[in-house]
Amino acid sequence: MVCIGRRRESSSVVARKQVVMASGLAYFDPDYENLSSRINPPRVSVDNTSCKNYTLVQVDSVNKPGILLEVVQILSDLDLSISKAYISSDGGWFMDVFHVTDQHGNKITDTKTINDLEQALEPKCRKANVSKTWSGQRVEVHSMGDHTVVELIGRDRPGLLSEVSAILSNLHINVVAAEVWTHNQRVASVVYVNNNTTCRAVDDPIQLSTMKEQLRNILGGSEEDEKVYHTDFSEGSTHIDRRLHQMLFADRDYEGVCFTSANDHLHSFQPNITIDHCEEKGYAVVSVRCKDRSKLMFDIVCTLTYMKYVVFHASISSDSPYASQEYYIRHVDGCTLNTDGEKERVIKCLEAAIRRRVSEGLRLELCAKDRVGLLSEVTRVLRENGLIVARAGVTTVGEQAMNVFYIRDSSGNPVNMKTIEELRKEIGHRMMVNVKMDPASEKAPEASNWATKSSFSFGALMGKFLS
């Protein structure tokens, strides 16, 4: 006789299930989750008819930890602006609706973008294409060859990026992609490099050891520094923005935040964050109101995830130029924010997450044929002209290197446009240069007039190489 019944659960599974359910959270059985995902794969709907001004993206899926961050990350990687969103993930099902536009405020009508969006939200395609699609945040492995990822974090100071790039250049190491963030006198960077001769990952132990030692020397500072520096290597792909948030959060860059004359430009981005309680459902309600900008929702959700909070419901709206976001959360252990210390920590962490990507002032865009030493040359010229890089992004498409720098002068004040003219004369004959105010800036004196003299469009160039 064959008996068919429920599978017997191991004692560890039973214990884990009891602990999680006692905390008030929904329990996710990994085997059931995988089976349910196969039976009920995510349903993605892209609707351009229901709303006059926005494209509606609706995602229905089996609920699982981290799914909200995955979805928001995909929308952000496709450079879609989220104007409104409604999220609900109580129980075993995840349902959300996003009102999105492109960066110009238009609905998403491009067939390729819609197909990319639908495919990216499918779990099989997401895993298969994670290292083969260019989203502005991943390395295009199939066209660049292997690469080594260099992670750097330490105390920020003028000229540091120039020194880092000079070390790599002297070691004949090419930078194929990079992202640099600075916040609260700390700097974090993820750099993709390869060997200039082989176009493969840097795997020579002697070369790696030399690079690590030299980078540590310029990052180290004094032994009395309370915060340590860090350098590390890895091979493979990583999501740069997520990793930078993770690195700075682990570095506790949210502590001791204060406004000085050097960062008064951040006052307009000072968010208003409050935390209340929904006693009926046992949620902590986090409300954020601040100046709206690209990827704001991603930065907030990413930080809540790394702080091990689960978002059960959320409502997002943008009333230009401000955004209002409300999250109903619990900690993964089922606890809510019951103490003033816990609330203060969450508020500080979210404030830091919002400000890390903010760089009001001049945005300098450079395009040139890729070569070893290009980044070193550009950053050296910036340093010699008394300019500080607050944030930077480096990408390589084919043989073209496209670099973006958010710059200010050494005192933290807006850059004198005469300095930019001198800079353009010095390097303009070797690369295409475009200067414009960051969209976040409230004032645009002189810069807008100067920028209109150039017919070079960085966005159009990127689109040309990616088409």
Side-chain angles (χ1 to χ4, degrees):
M1 178 181 295
V2 178
C3 295
I4 302 177
R6 297 181 61 188
R7 64 180 175 91
R8 177 172 295 180
E9 295 177 326
S10 67
S11 58
S12 61
V13 171
V14 173
R16 184 169 68 249
K17 185 174 182 179
Q18 290 174 343
V19 170
V20 175
M21 293 183 68
S23 68
L25 293 175
Y27 172 74
F28 294 95
D29 184 322
D31 293 336
Y32 172 78
E33 180 185 345
N34 293 336
L35 175 62
S36 185
S37 296
R38 292 195 298 268
I39 298 175
N40 301 296
R43 295 194 298 270
V44 181
S45 170
V46 180
D47 179 6
N48 268 316
T49 60
S50 299
C51 187
K52 178 180 179 181
N53 299 319
Y54 304 105
T55 297
L56 271 59
V57 178
Q58 181 172 333
V59 181
D60 296 332
S61 171
V62 172
N63 196 11
K64 64 176 183 178
I67 187 172
L68 176 59
L69 178 56
E70 290 182 20
V71 173
V72 175
Q73 173 186 311
I74 290 169
L75 296 175
S76 297
D77 286 349
L78 291 171
D79 283 332
L80 302 181
S81 297
I82 302 173
S83 298
K84 296 180 182 179
Y86 307 95
I87 287 90
S88 178
S89 61
D90 254 342
W93 203 255
F94 173 82
M95 296 174 286
D96 56 1
V97 178
F98 299 90
H99 294 63
V100 302
T101 62
D102 63 18
Q103 292 297 307
H104 303 289
N106 301 317
K107 296 171 71 171
I108 312 304
T109 57
D110 178 62
T111 304
K112 183 179 183 302
T113 302
I114 293 175
N115 290 337
D116 289 345
L117 176 61
E118 293 174 337
Q119 292 178 8
L121 291 170
E122 293 291 335
K124 292 181 180 179
C125 295
R126 191 183 315 164
K127 293 180 181 179
N129 294 332
V130 67
S131 63
K132 295 184 179 181
T133 59
W134 183 270
S135 64
Q137 304 301 338
R138 300 189 182 95
V139 168
E140 195 176 18
V141 178
H142 67 286
S143 65
M144 292 182 190
D146 293 343
H147 58 274
T148 299
V149 182
V150 183
E151 296 181 351
L152 306 170
I153 192 162
R155 183 179 296 278
D156 188 28
R157 57 180 172 80
L160 181 59
L161 179 59
S162 176
E163 294 179 30
V164 169
S165 55
I167 286 174
L168 298 177
S169 176
N170 291 337
L171 293 173
H172 304 287
I173 294 174
N174 189 39
V175 177
V176 293
E179 190 79 14
V180 181
W181 288 2
T182 63
H183 177 251
N184 199 24
Q185 299 182 332
R186 303 297 291 172
V187 59
S189 178
V190 177
V191 187
Y192 290 87
V193 301
N194 61 22
N195 185 291
N196 181 53
T197 304
T198 64
C199 293
R200 308 290 291 179
V202 182
D203 53 8
D204 179 17
I206 297 178
Q207 192 176 26
L208 285 172
S209 177
T210 302
M211 177 168 56
K212 193 166 189 175
E213 180 182 359
Q214 293 185 13
L215 291 175
R216 281 181 169 177
N217 287 338
I218 66 171
L219 284 173
S222 65
E223 295 182 357
E224 290 76 21
D225 285 346
E226 293 183 2
K227 293 194 174 184
V228 298
Y229 62 88
H230 169 76
T231 62
D232 204 358
F233 304 112
S234 63
E235 293 187 14
S237 297
T238 184
H239 190 276
I240 295 182
D241 285 8
R242 286 181 66 159
R243 184 59 184 144
L244 288 171
H245 275 303
Q246 191 177 37
M247 291 168 63
L248 286 168
F249 173 70
D251 190 56
R252 305 172 74 90
D253 72 318
Y254 52 86
E255 293 184 341
V257 175
C258 61
F259 290 103
T260 65
S261 58
N263 58 12
D264 281 341
H265 64 287
L266 293 178
H267 273 303
S268 63
F269 268 90
Q270 177 66 8
N272 180 17
I273 303 175
T274 60
I275 299 178
D276 298 311
H277 286 280
C278 177
E279 301 293 344
E280 181 181 353
K281 295 291 187 178
Y283 299 127
V285 184
V286 179
S287 300
V288 181
R289 180 170 173 79
C290 67
K291 196 171 182 180
D292 198 11
R293 62 163 174 78
S294 176
K295 301 187 179 182
L296 178 62
M297 184 180 181
F298 169 83
D299 293 337
I300 293 175
V301 172
C302 189
T303 300
L304 290 173
T305 301
Y306 287 137
M307 295 184 73
K308 300 188 183 302
Y309 287 100
V310 179
V311 176
F312 288 85
H313 302 280
S315 176
I316 314 298
S317 64
S318 176
D319 183 14
S320 183
Y322 294 98
S324 296
Q325 304 193 7
E326 193 171 65
Y327 299 89
Y328 291 74
I329 67 172
R330 292 194 199 114
H331 197 269
V332 291
D333 62 8
C335 298
T336 55
L337 301 173
N338 297 319
T339 68
D340 291 339
E342 291 173 319
K343 293 180 181 179
E344 182 180 358
R345 181 171 180 266
V346 170
I347 290 174
K348 283 187 175 181
C349 289
L350 291 179
E351 287 178 346
I354 291 170
R355 286 201 297 261
R356 285 171 194 151
R357 202 190 292 270
V358 175
S359 300
E360 293 188 3
L362 282 181
R363 173 185 168 108
L364 179 64
E365 302 173 342
L366 306 172
C367 178
K369 186 175 181 179
D370 187 37
R371 57 180 171 83
V372 170
L374 177 62
L375 181 62
S376 177
E377 175 189 342
V378 172
T379 53
R380 175 185 56 79
V381 172
L382 294 177
R383 181 182 63 182
E384 291 174 350
N385 282 273
L387 301 176
I388 294 176
V389 178
R391 186 159 61 93
V394 176
T395 60
T396 305
V397 180
E399 295 183 349
Q400 295 295 317
M402 291 171 283
N403 303 339
V404 177
F405 301 94
Y406 295 84
I407 57 177
R408 60 177 187 267
D409 70 11
S410 57
S411 62
N413 296 320
V415 179
N416 187 310
M417 294 312 299
K418 292 182 179 179
T419 303
I420 295 299
E421 282 287 1
E422 292 298 322
L423 179 68
R424 186 169 181 262
K425 291 178 182 178
E426 185 171 354
I427 62 176
H429 63 284
R430 298 191 298 276
M431 60 190 72
M432 290 183 283
V433 181
N434 188 33
V435 180
K436 60 183 178 182
M437 297 299 294
D438 181 58
S441 295
E442 295 179 341
K443 298 180 181 180
E446 298 184 88
S448 59
N449 294 333
W450 184 92
T452 57
K453 297 178 182 179
S454 173
S455 61
F456 165 61
S457 170
F458 186 79
L461 182 62
M462 174 70 84
K464 177 181 177 180
F465 282 106
L466 297 183
S467 60

